[in-house]
């Protein structure tokens, strides 16, 4: 009996030790936890900052869109309420500066024409293979839902809060993308990065096939916001968050309306109950 308990315990100890050492030994690297940002769209009353979305769009247009598509985004979306809210004229001019494929025409041919507000953003590459061929094998993912598709575990104790509806923190993906954009550094001593790859503190495995896309001063802002990698990263991430969740504000407004209704309803019930029972002796 005692021997079987002993062997059980030592077996369990071995498993625990293997679990503790295993991943670290197998991977030999560790990505940093994304920095937590103060997003305007976080929380129960959160909403997008229109100027930030406009700046973020500029960063996307001038930098990211040379490699990343946003297939779900049509030009006219940029004029919708809750978004960057460009004017109809601005959107029409912007669309006209892009070419899209259309056809077939009467002679059965496909042709290029200037885009219209109802068109979607033309992708930078014809297909995934063309993108990989241009990017030494790596594929720049489409950005339609990218911010919502990335996340990370916040660990104890915050993950307990994250499980509660209403209190949960939903900006993991945004924190990750913004941190990733700022996370390029020299590799630590003794770490080698293969050609065509770059060291990034936040990328899983610390190696990424995307060259550092941002540098201070690369995009000109006309609203006086700082032209720094830090600011660009936050702005473009906010824009991509809007792209992935354009109806966030409407959703939060419904929640606020429901809560306000419940409060009023509870008060009415309370006073009705008082009135009904007021003549009844205790
Ligand atoms: C020169 C082309 C290029 C440009 C410009 C570029 N990217 Fe990328 N991006 C890539 C490639 C290639 C990958 C895939 C990397 C990999 O899988 O290792 C990628 C991956 C990513 C990822 C996903 C990382 C992950 O967790 O898998 C994010 C987020 C991203 N890019 C954001 C951006 C943003 C934001 C911009 C604009 C500021 C931008 N990229 C500009 C080529 C580019």
């Amino acid at each position: 009996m005692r021997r079987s308990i002993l062997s059980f315990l030592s077996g369990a100890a071995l498993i625990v030790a293997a679990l503790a050492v295993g991943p670290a030994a197998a991977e030999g690297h560790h990505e940093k936890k994304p920095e937590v940002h103060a997003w305007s769209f976080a929380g129960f009353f959160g909403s997008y900052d229109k100027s930030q979305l406009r700046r973020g769009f500029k960063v996307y247009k001038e930098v990211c869109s040379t490699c990343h598509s946003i297939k779900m985004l049509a030009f006219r979306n940029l004029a919708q309420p809750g978004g960057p809210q460009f004017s109809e004229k601005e959107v029409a001019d912007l669309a006209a500066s892009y070419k899209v494929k259309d056809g077939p025409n009467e002679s059965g041919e496909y042709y290029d024409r200037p885009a219209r507000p109802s068109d979607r953003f033309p992708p930078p590459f014809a297909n995934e293979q063309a993108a990989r061929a241009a990017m030494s094998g790596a594929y720049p993912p489409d950005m339609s839902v990218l911010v919502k598709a990335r996340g990370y575990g916040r660990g104890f104790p915050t993950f307990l809060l994250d499980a509660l509806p209403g209190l949960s923190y939903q900006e993991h993906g945004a924190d990750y993308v913004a941190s990733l954009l700022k996370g390029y550094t020299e590799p630590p001593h003794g770490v080698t990065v293969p050609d065509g790859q770059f060291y990034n503190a936040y990328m899983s495995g610390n190696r990424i096939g995307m060259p550092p896309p941002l540098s201070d001063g690369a995009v000109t802002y006309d609203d006086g916001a700082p032209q720094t990698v830090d600011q660009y990263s936050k702005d473009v991430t906010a824009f991509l968050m809007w792209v992935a969740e354009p109806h966030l504000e409407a959703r939060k407004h419904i929640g606020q309306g429901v809560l306000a209704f419940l409060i009023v309803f509870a008060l009415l019930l309370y006073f009705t109950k008082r009135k009904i029972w007021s003549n009844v002796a205790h």
Side-chain angles (χ1 to χ4, degrees):
M1 185 64 194
R2 250 178 90 180
R3 259 183 76 180
S4 65
I5 290 177
L6 266 181
S7 62
F8 170 77
L9 282 179
S10 57
L14 269 179
I15 291 173
V16 169
L19 281 178
V21 175
E27 289 166 25
H29 48 65
H30 39 84
E31 44 284 351
K32 279 210 306 212
K33 239 189 199 154
E35 190 189 319
V36 174
H37 295 73
W39 300 109
S40 71
F41 46 83
F44 191 65
F45 293 105
S47 66
Y48 292 116
D49 169 351
K50 199 171 69 180
S51 323
Q52 180 168 50
L53 295 187
R54 289 183 174 203
R55 294 195 301 270
F57 170 68
K58 193 155 197 261
V59 177
Y60 169 72
K61 178 177 180 274
E62 291 180 14
V63 184
C64 323
S65 72
T66 49
C67 299
H68 292 270
S69 56
I70 305 187
K71 290 196 180 126
M72 307 282 276
L73 187 72
F75 291 100
R76 64 170 173 215
N77 296 140
L78 295 168
Q80 275 170 2
Q85 287 185 308
F86 289 110
S87 68
E88 303 279 322
K89 163 102 175 60
E90 284 170 315
V91 169
D93 290 349
L94 175 76
S97 69
Y98 285 81
K99 291 252 179 300
V100 290
K101 279 238 172 306
D102 204 347
N105 59 13
E106 304 88 70
S107 43
E109 267 144 33
Y110 288 87
Y111 56 95
D112 284 338
R113 61 157 173 82
R116 293 189 281 259
S118 56
D119 284 315
R120 308 228 165 160
F121 261 84
F125 296 105
N127 48 53
E128 183 175 334
Q129 287 81 346
R132 285 192 192 276
M135 302 267 40
S136 36
Y139 178 57
D142 181 75
M143 289 184 152
S144 304
V145 293
L146 187 60
V147 174
K148 303 228 86 176
R150 292 290 186 276
Y152 61 97
R154 288 209 296 162
F156 188 81
T158 34
F159 82 89
L160 293 175
L161 280 181
D162 289 346
L164 299 174
L167 280 180
S168 65
Y169 185 74
Q170 300 172 340
E171 285 69 37
H172 303 93
D175 284 338
Y176 168 72
V177 172
S179 299
L180 181 85
L181 294 172
K182 295 183 260 178
Y184 288 91
T185 56
E186 286 297 313
H189 192 68
V191 174
T192 51
V193 178
D195 268 359
Q197 297 228 304
F198 303 85
Y199 187 84
N200 189 299
Y202 299 93
M203 180 69 176
S204 121
N206 291 148
R207 283 161 192 75
I208 187 164
M210 166 166 73
L214 297 168
S215 56
D216 287 343
V219 179
T220 311
Y221 282 159
D222 40 26
D223 66 354
Q227 300 179 164
T228 57
V229 169
D230 180 63
Q231 190 66 36
Y232 296 150
S233 307
K234 289 189 267 195
D235 293 348
V236 74
T237 303
F239 171 72
L240 294 173
M241 178 74 183
W242 170 75
V243 164
E245 208 184 340
H247 303 301
L248 171 136
E249 290 184 11
R251 180 167 67 74
K252 290 195 176 178
H253 285 158
I254 293 175
Q256 289 153 17
V258 168
L259 195 73
F261 169 79
L262 286 177
I263 291 171
V264 171
F265 192 63
L267 285 175
L268 282 176
L269 277 182
Y270 173 71
F271 288 116
T272 313
K273 178 233 159 222
R274 292 251 309 213
K275 177 101 179 89
I276 290 174
W277 290 84
S278 57
N279 294 329
V280 178
H282 293 289

